[in-house]
């Protein structure tokens, strides 16, 4: 497997060293150390590029092979609808956890006005640019329409995940319909491509410890500890929500639906979580997520090759939970308490918004603008003012929510696989 015990240990040590170096530079204001850490950051960026380049061929090849080997389209339809229902349900639960915690802890009350004002003026310019980006974000209807690529090659070239998934399934289904001799050629080709991608992942993962150190060191060195102090209650609320979602929702899903021991499962996916945490990107983590599902968790390719790429794109429980807490926090600070009806609206918009968020760093805060606009509508308050308050701690929260996002994808793969297996036992289609 790509992350064996030894590599896992190395990545963990790199992470700890990176955090330590960053903290020392930051807390003691050691300028040369900060500069050094920022200078080596491109090592991390280069690594992210390396592993992200595997995403398109890997997803495409494994999905074509997975679909072609399914044999019948009804099975695909069944897996597809189950997956989407499961994704939406867990995301709605995540948002609800975020809302409940925000109501209980009330992170937005008792904030010092001066502290907030400082944050707001510090980050206002950056915040306005995020709000602008949100204006360009496609709505849900567009996201769905864009799934049918005008030009599949352009979708592949641009790395647009949903159209790629759609096209690969279409091709795979067609391949399963052609005569056997010719089918084996094309399946053999994509199988080989898929395997070569796995080899690339192994090679690239060997460099992961250096990348993790470079990425984390720079992030922490740049991070404002003062910002953390003034937003501590908000940060803790988000983190607590994320932990609860994994400990309760995922553990229950694993135990009851997937019939797997949660702790053993989490142990096997630690490497994926570490990489998601370090890169803040579900997409960049996807190659490792897929490899881990197959090699470590033993999940059938026909399930994982579909569930995981889809999940990296549309399933973001951590992001949705974060959006719920962030919205409540901002509302509590700027307009006071918000009604249950509006909160119910947050469940809907945050669940849908997380589908539209891409699996890349800080996608969540851009889409947050959409959720926020719904809540602040009519109050005359500029969403940018709200975003500015929380921007300073966003990277840290991004890392944590991304780790939860990929855990959710892997949990889903285990749940869906199990349900297919039970289906076979009950006399459904043969596995
Ligand atoms: N970075 C997250 C992800 O890739 C998305 C987000 O910003 O919440 O999963």
């Amino acid at each position: 497997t790509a992350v064996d015990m030894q590599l896992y240990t190395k990545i963990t040590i790199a992470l700890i060293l990176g955090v330590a170096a960053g903290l020392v530079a930051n807390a003691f204001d050691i300028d040369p150390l900060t500069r050094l850490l920022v200078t080596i950051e491109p090592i991390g960026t280069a690594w992210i590029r390396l592993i992200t380049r595997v995403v398109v061929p890997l997803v495409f090849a494994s999905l074509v092979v997975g679909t072609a080997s399914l044999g019948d389209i009804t099975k695909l339809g069944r897996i597809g609808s189950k997956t989407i229902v499961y994704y939406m349900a867990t995301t709605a639960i995540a948002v609800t956890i975020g809302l409940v915690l925000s109501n209980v802890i009330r992170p937005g009350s008792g904030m010092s006005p001066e502290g907030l004002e400082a944050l707001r003026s510090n980050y206002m310019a950056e915040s306005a640019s995020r709000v602008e980006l949100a204006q360009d974000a496609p709505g849900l209807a567009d996201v769905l329409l864009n799934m049918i690529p005008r030009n599949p090659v352009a979708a592949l070239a641009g790395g647009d995940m949903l159209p790629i998934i759609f096209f690969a399934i279409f091709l795979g289904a067609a391949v399963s319909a052609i005569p056997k001799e010719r089918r084996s050629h094309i399946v053999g080709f994509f199988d080989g491509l898929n395997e070569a991608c796995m080899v690339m992942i192994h090679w690239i993962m060997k460099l992961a410890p250096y990348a993790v150190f470079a990425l984390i060191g720079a992030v922490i060195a740049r991070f404002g500890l003062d910002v953390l102090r003034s937003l501590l209650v908000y940060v803790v609320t988000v983190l607590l929500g994320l932990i609860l979602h994994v400990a309760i929702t995922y553990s229950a899903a694993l135990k009851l639906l997937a019939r797997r021991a949660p702790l053993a499962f989490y142990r096997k996916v630690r490497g994926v979580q570490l990489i998601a945490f370090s890169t803040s990107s579900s997409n960049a983590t996807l190659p490792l997520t897929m490899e881990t599902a197959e090699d470590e968790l033993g999940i059938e390719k026909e399930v994982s090759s579909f569930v995981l790429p889809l999940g990296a794109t549309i399933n973001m429980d951590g992001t949705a939970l974060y959006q719920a807490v962030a919205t409540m926090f901002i509302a509590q600070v700027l307009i006071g308490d918000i009604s249950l009806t509006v909160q119910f609206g947050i469940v809907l918009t945050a669940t849908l918004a997380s589908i539209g968020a891409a699996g890349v760093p800080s996608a969540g805060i851009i889409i947050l603008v959409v959720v926020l606009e719904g809540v602040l509508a009519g109050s005359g308050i500029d969403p940018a003012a709200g975003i500015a308050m929380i921007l300073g701690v966003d990277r840290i929260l991004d890392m944590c929510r991304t780790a939860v996002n990929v855990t959710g994808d892997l949990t889903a793969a285990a749940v869906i696989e199990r349900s297919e297996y039970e289906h076979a036992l009950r006399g459904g289609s043969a596995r």
Side-chain angles (χ1 to χ4, degrees):
T1 61
V3 187
D4 53 27
M5 211 39 219
Q6 219 183 349
L7 184 58
Y8 173 79
T9 314
K10 280 191 201 156
I11 297 176
T12 313
I13 292 174
L15 187 77
I16 294 170
L17 288 179
V19 170
L23 276 180
V24 168
N26 192 313
F28 300 106
D29 241 337
I30 307 176
D31 218 32
L33 184 55
T34 306
R35 241 175 299 143
L36 176 72
L37 290 173
V38 171
T39 310
I40 62 170
E41 194 183 14
I43 297 176
T45 316
W47 186 84
I48 289 185
R49 280 198 197 172
L50 266 183
I51 193 137
T52 311
R53 289 316 144 225
V54 188
V55 170
V56 170
L58 174 70
V59 168
F60 193 74
S62 72
L63 204 44
V64 170
V65 174
T67 317
S69 57
L70 269 180
D72 79 290
I73 301 294
T74 49
K75 186 166 177 190
L76 184 69
R78 196 176 60 229
I79 295 183
S81 32
K82 271 194 293 203
T83 306
I84 289 175
V85 169
Y86 177 88
Y87 278 159
M88 301 280 279
T90 49
T91 306
I93 294 173
V95 176
T96 309
I97 292 179
L99 288 178
V100 170
L101 285 182
S102 309
N103 282 307
V104 174
I105 301 178
R106 304 178 47 80
S109 59
M111 291 281 306
S112 86
E114 308 85 59
L116 284 177
E117 201 34 56
L119 285 173
R120 221 181 297 170
S121 49
N122 257 343
Y123 289 98
M124 201 57 200
E126 215 181 320
S127 163
S129 74
R130 300 291 163 102
V131 173
E132 226 161 83
L133 282 176
Q135 251 87 61
D136 300 337
L140 192 62
D142 283 331
V143 171
L144 293 178
L145 189 61
N146 287 343
M147 275 170 52
I148 308 169
R150 218 171 270 136
N151 174 348
V153 180
L156 286 168
D160 306 331
M161 214 45 79
L162 287 182
I164 291 177
I165 293 171
F166 187 84
F167 179 61
I169 290 174
F170 212 42
L171 181 63
V175 167
S176 71
I178 64 176
K180 194 158 182 264
E181 326 77 75
R182 263 164 295 158
R183 185 169 67 213
S184 58
H185 285 305
I186 192 158
V187 171
F189 169 78
F190 281 116
D191 223 0
L193 181 59
N194 181 62
E195 228 167 277
C197 287
M198 294 292 193
V199 174
M200 284 195 268
I201 298 168
H202 278 235
W203 288 345
I204 298 168
M205 281 309 293
K206 291 206 199 313
L207 301 172
Y210 307 100
V212 166
F213 178 82
L215 288 169
I216 295 292
V219 167
I220 304 286
R222 262 199 234 106
F223 188 63
L225 287 178
D226 304 335
V227 185
L228 182 62
R229 215 165 297 131
S230 53
L231 291 173
L232 198 61
V233 184
Y234 159 69
V235 170
V236 168
T237 310
V238 175
L239 294 185
L240 186 63
L242 293 175
I243 292 170
L244 288 180
H245 187 57
V246 174
I248 299 173
T249 317
Y250 292 162
S251 298
L254 285 168
K255 194 139 192 79
L256 304 176
L257 301 175
R259 311 277 157 125
R260 282 174 188 257
L263 288 184
F265 184 91
Y266 297 141
R267 205 169 312 123
K268 287 181 181 158
V269 306
R270 278 185 308 194
V272 183
Q273 291 170 329
L274 274 182
I275 295 300
F277 181 81
S278 312
T279 60
S280 281
S281 166
S282 302
N283 279 3
T285 314
L286 184 57
L288 184 63
T289 317
M290 292 175 73
E291 205 261 5
T292 303
E294 275 172 46
D295 287 2
E296 285 281 327
L297 302 170
I299 293 173
E300 293 287 332
K301 188 196 215 67
E302 57 181 48
V303 171
S304 65
S305 68
F306 171 73
V307 173
L308 294 174
L310 192 68
T313 319
I314 70 165
N315 181 48
M316 299 196 178
D317 294 356
T319 299
L321 189 150
Y322 144 84
Q323 287 175 337
V325 177
T327 306
M328 291 290 284
F329 171 75
I330 291 170
Q332 283 167 359
V333 172
L334 296 182
I335 55 178
D337 282 325
I338 58 178
S339 70
L340 274 182
T341 335
V342 175
Q343 293 196 23
F344 185 72
I346 297 180
V347 177
L348 279 183
T349 46
T351 304
L352 294 178
S354 72
I355 295 177
V360 295
S362 32
I365 196 163
I366 294 169
I367 301 293
L368 173 64
V369 175
V370 178
V371 184
L372 209 50
E373 269 166 355
V375 174
L376 295 179
S379 68
I381 292 170
D382 178 11
I387 302 283
M389 291 192 311
I390 57 167
L391 207 50
V393 288
D394 198 62
R395 179 63 191 223
I396 300 291
L397 294 180
D398 195 359
M399 303 195 305
C400 302
R401 67 195 186 230
T402 308
V404 173
N405 289 345
V406 297
T407 310
D409 300 339
L410 282 164
T411 307
V415 168
I416 303 295
E417 196 216 27
R418 175 71 197 196
S419 76
E420 280 301 304
Y421 182 58
E422 282 203 331
H423 188 88
L425 286 185
R426 270 190 263 110
S429 60
R431 197 159 92 124

